[in-house]
Amino acid sequence: MWDCFCKVGALLEPFEVIISFITMIFAGYASFRLLMQNRRLKELARSAPKIENFQDMITFYEGVQTQNPIALALSLVSQSQSIKKDVELFLNTMGWKMEIVEINMHGIKPPKDIETLINLLREKRYLFDLQGNTEVHLFLQGPLVSGILLGAIFDNWKPVKLYHKPTPSVPAVYQYWCPLIK
């Protein structure tokens, strides 16, 4: 019986070599195609259009430019109750009159608080539309992830102007950073 298996194995050995050779050719071809695709993707990434005149855009959006601006003050850290007083100080220093809307959360603990934050931001966005607000001045004290969520929710909407509180603080408390643009 063993002899029979050995004879069958000896007959199949050339087919195994041929199948292995064909498999090696297909694997090499697939590897070559993936390598070429990867190079094309890297070339496309390098040739993507660069943002131009960004400094001009920053200057263009600086200040209050419309009739019905609003300030959105978000405090999303557990160490602070509110940033409204700092925002009021900044707006008074600049001589700007606008309503300040607050969102205060005492820290963000995923995933429940993230859902709450997203819903609050969407609610404020719709409220600003209903009130006819024409630009949003955004002041944020919170984790980086909240800024990414804000950018996603307020993207391609009204002019949203971002303000930064430097350390150490400047006399006006906040500095205009840039508009929310792509």
Side-chain angles (χ1 to χ4, degrees), residues 22-177:
I22 292 171
T23 302
M24 182 183 73
I25 289 173
F26 280 124
Y29 177 73
S31 175
F32 174 75
R33 293 287 297 186
L34 287 172
L35 178 67
M36 297 310 290
Q37 179 183 358
N38 195 18
R39 282 186 183 166
R40 277 193 301 267
L41 289 173
K42 285 181 182 178
E43 287 173 16
L44 281 173
R46 277 189 226 113
S47 67
K50 305 291 184 229
I51 192 165
E52 294 180 7
N53 302 325
F54 186 68
Q55 191 59 47
D56 292 341
M57 288 179 127
I58 290 173
T59 305
F60 176 77
Y61 283 101
E62 190 170 6
V64 176
Q65 299 173 328
T66 61
Q67 294 294 336
N68 196 10
I70 194 155
L72 179 58
L74 286 97
S75 179
L76 309 173
V77 294
S78 57
Q79 296 89 358
S80 175
Q81 296 287 351
S82 173
I83 61 171
K84 186 174 182 177
K85 288 185 182 182
D86 289 341
V87 172
E88 284 175 343
L89 174 63
F90 172 76
L91 294 176
N92 290 335
T93 302
M94 300 302 290
W96 298 343
K97 302 288 183 213
M98 67 181 79
E99 179 186 356
I100 300 172
V101 174
E102 280 189 284
I103 294 178
N104 292 320
M105 295 178 70
H106 304 291
I108 295 182
K109 297 166 196 73
K112 180 182 164 267
D113 288 345
I114 293 174
E115 181 181 339
T116 301
L117 174 63
I118 290 170
N119 288 329
L120 285 170
L121 291 171
R122 293 177 78 213
E123 178 184 311
K124 296 302 180 199
R125 180 180 166 154
Y126 295 129
L127 175 69
F128 298 160
D129 277 337
L130 290 173
Q131 291 176 348
N133 295 112
T134 50
E135 63 184 70
V136 177
H137 295 258
L138 180 62
F139 302 85
L140 169 67
Q141 179 181 19
L144 176 65
V145 173
S146 61
I148 294 168
L149 293 171
L150 274 162
I153 292 170
F154 291 153
D155 184 35
N156 288 333
W157 183 48
K158 301 176 186 299
V160 177
K161 301 168 184 189
L162 308 174
Y163 293 87
H164 168 68
K165 186 174 185 179
T167 305
S169 183
V170 294
V173 181
Y174 284 95
Q175 289 179 327
Y176 169 66
W177 194 258

Side-chain angles (χ1 to χ4, degrees), residues 6-36:
C6 288
K7 289 180 185 178
V8 171
L11 290 173
L12 292 178
E13 190 172 314
F15 292 115
E16 290 174 357
V17 170
I18 292 170
I19 291 172
S20 296
F21 184 71
I22 292 171
T23 302
M24 182 183 73
I25 289 173
F26 280 124
Y29 177 73
S31 175
F32 174 75
R33 293 287 297 186
L34 287 172
L35 178 67
M36 297 310 290

